[in-house]
């Protein structure tokens, strides 16, 4: 029966001189916010801008936040004399179990001489190494730690940058992902540079880099502002905000200011681009992405901190099939949703910056595609 339907589809397309039938889009997954995740932090802790989230192989959730962004009112217990009972800034890196209990916390100003002035992005690789980046004006480094916070590796030099074609120095990197099979770390570099750059994940040795469409990045001259309806830009805009690796070997890059995702092979060969909410101005529409964990990774989820929603896209076709969240302060709403991560069950974890300053969990209440 299926064979006859495929033949009929092809025949009708040929008769009409139309494109062949497209693969059917996957159903949009359905999510429900969990207002009780995470649990209340211990030790009278509070958090500032939550600037990154990752899920490890145990389905533990790692959040990196910015303690220095807590206002005096929010950290009133640290003032002399104390202004109020609460709170004390938590360490920058917090590990939660799936139920939202704190497992451990470490990091922050003074943890390492090159600890970033403005934390930005976190990734936990399959060997339980924790990678932290930063986008402060001098934060041109990527740091690698053990899961309990012992320093392993630094890529880049604090306070030094050399532009988008420098092979040794970074330019305010935003995000990172690691491929342990090839021992490579992919960096979205980022807030000052406009490229993806790849290093050996053990030694930090430079391997390759590329800009938009897989071409060498042009000179780092100022770019004109994004205009809705314009032809796609030949260059990445700042920030190049995320990089994600799919199981099929493709590399997905958030070109946030240009309202698009560009897709590459791991050697930097350009494959295609996906445009998302292209009327979005300002800070752009694609802040972070992750994949639904079915076998085909059929759905691409994209956090949009301008429209304060999570877009659901058919990964193969690149079309929007759904969304959840809106601008607001209630559970399930967002203010500057900045990062996202998906666990092995398809649950989504988000973090918010600016004055959002929180992490949320959205439970998958529909079935994963088979």
């Amino acid at each position: 029966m299926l064979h006859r339907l495929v033949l009929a589809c092809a025949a009708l397309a040929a008769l009409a001189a139309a494109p062949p039938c497209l693969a059917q889009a996957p159903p949009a997954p359905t999510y429900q916010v969990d207002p009780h995740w995470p649990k209340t932090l211990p030790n009278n802790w509070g958090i500032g801008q939550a600037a990154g989230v990752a899920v490890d192989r145990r389905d533990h959730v790692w959040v990196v936040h910015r303690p220095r962004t807590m206002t005096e009112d929010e950290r009133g217990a640290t003032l002399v004399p104390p202004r109020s009972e609460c709170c004390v800034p938590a360490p920058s890196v917090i590990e939660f179990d799936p139920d939202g209990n704190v497992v451990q916390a470490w990091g922050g100003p003074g943890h390492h001489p090159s600890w970033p002035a403005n934390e930005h992005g976190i990734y936990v690789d399959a060997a339980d190494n924790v990678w932290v980046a930063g986008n402060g004006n001098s934060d041109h480094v990527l740091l690698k730690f053990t899961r309990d916070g012992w320093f392993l590796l630094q890529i880049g030099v604090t306070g030094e940058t050399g532009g988008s074609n420098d092979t040794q120095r970074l330019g305010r990197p935003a995000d990172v992902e690691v491929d342990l099979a090839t021992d490579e770390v992919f960096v979205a570099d980022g807030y000052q540079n406009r490229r993806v750059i790849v290093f050996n994940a053990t030694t930090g040795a430079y391997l390759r880099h590329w800009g938009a469409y897989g071409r060498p990045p042009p000179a780092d001259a100022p770019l004109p502002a994004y205009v809705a309806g314009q032809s796609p830009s030949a260059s990445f805009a700042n920030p190049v905000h995320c990089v994600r690796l799919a199981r099929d070997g493709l590399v997905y890059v958030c070109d946030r200011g240009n309202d698009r995702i560009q897709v590459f092979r791991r050697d930097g060969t350009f494959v295609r681009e996906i445009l998302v909410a292209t009327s979005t101005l300002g800070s752009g529409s694609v802040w972070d992405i992750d994949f639904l964990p079915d076998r085909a990774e059929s759905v691409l989820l994209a956090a949009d901190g301008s429209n304060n929603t999570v877009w659901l896209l058919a990964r193969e076709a690149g079309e929007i099939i759904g969304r959840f969240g809106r601008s607001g302060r209630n559970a399930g709403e967002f203010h500057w949703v900045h990062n996202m991560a998906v666990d092995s069950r398809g649950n989504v974890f988000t973090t918010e910056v600016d004055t959002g300053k929180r992490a949320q969990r959205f439970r998958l209440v529909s079935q994963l595609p088979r």
Side-chain angles (χ1 to χ4, degrees), residues 3-258:
H3 179 67
R4 290 199 297 271
L5 286 173
V6 171
L7 290 176
C9 178
L12 287 172
L15 287 172
C21 296
L22 297 176
Q24 184 177 2
T30 303
Y31 286 95
Q32 183 178 78
V33 68
D34 179 354
H36 304 294
W37 198 99
K39 305 291 178 57
T40 301
L41 299 179
N43 307 318
N44 209 23
W45 284 343
I47 67 170
Q49 296 175 2
V53 61
V55 176
D56 68 15
R57 61 190 177 91
R58 298 172 176 85
D59 272 350
H60 283 205
V61 181
W62 295 72
V63 171
V64 64
H65 81 105
R66 299 167 177 164
R68 285 163 287 203
T69 65
M70 292 181 69
T71 64
E72 286 194 355
D73 180 63
E74 292 168 333
R75 55 181 176 84
T78 67
L79 303 181
V80 181
R83 176 184 291 183
S84 56
E85 294 179 349
C86 194
C87 288
V88 175
S92 291
V93 174
I94 309 173
E95 177 188 359
F96 297 92
D97 68 17
D99 293 327
N101 301 297
V102 172
V103 176
Q104 63 163 334
W106 49 264
H111 184 78
H112 182 271
S114 294
W115 189 266
N118 203 55
E119 295 88 344
H120 195 292
I122 188 170
Y123 181 77
V124 184
D125 66 32
D128 291 333
N129 302 305
V130 181
W131 299 76
V132 177
N135 72 331
N137 289 336
S138 296
D139 289 343
H140 305 307
V141 297
L142 177 64
L143 300 175
K144 176 184 179 184
F145 299 93
T146 64
R147 70 175 296 115
D148 52 358
W150 291 97
F151 172 73
L152 295 173
L153 177 68
Q154 175 174 322
I155 298 175
V157 182
T158 300
E160 294 186 18
T161 188
S164 291
N165 285 298
D166 190 296
T167 61
Q168 305 300 317
R169 294 173 291 180
L170 300 173
R172 301 172 64 197
D175 191 28
V176 57
E177 186 153 342
V178 177
D179 180 4
L180 282 187
T182 59
D183 198 28
E184 294 179 335
V185 53
F186 291 72
V187 184
D189 183 41
Y191 268 82
Q192 184 162 329
N193 293 338
R194 303 183 191 124
R195 63 177 176 179
V196 174
I197 187 167
V198 186
F199 299 93
N200 181 281
T202 301
T203 67
Y206 166 81
L207 298 174
R208 59 192 178 277
H209 73 274
W210 65 85
Y213 298 104
R215 302 169 185 147
D220 292 312
L223 294 173
Y226 174 84
V227 177
Q230 69 181 16
S231 297
S233 173
S235 172
F236 285 141
N238 295 114
V240 183
H241 207 247
C242 84
V243 59
R244 291 286 174 267
L245 307 181
R247 293 185 196 132
D248 59 11
L250 296 178
V251 180
Y252 287 71
V253 179
C254 297
D255 187 8
R256 193 175 99 177
N258 283 321

Side-chain angles (χ1 to χ4, degrees), residues 249-268:
L250 296 178
V251 180
Y252 287 71
V253 179
C254 297
D255 187 8
R256 193 175 99 177
N258 283 321
D259 293 348
R260 66 185 178 185
I261 301 161
Q262 289 208 328
V263 186
F264 304 89
R265 296 189 179 93
R266 297 189 187 204
D267 62 1

Side-chain angles (χ1 to χ4, degrees), residues 288-327:
D288 202 359
I289 58 176
D290 208 343
F291 308 102
L292 198 68
D294 59 303
R295 183 178 300 178
E297 295 183 319
S298 60
V299 177
L300 180 65
L301 299 93
D304 178 348
S306 294
N307 297 302
N308 284 299
T309 195
V310 172
W311 300 105
L312 308 173
L313 300 100
R315 185 165 77 96
E316 184 176 344
E319 64 185 20
I320 293 172
I321 57 174
R323 63 189 292 181
F324 64 85
R326 50 149 287 175
S327 184

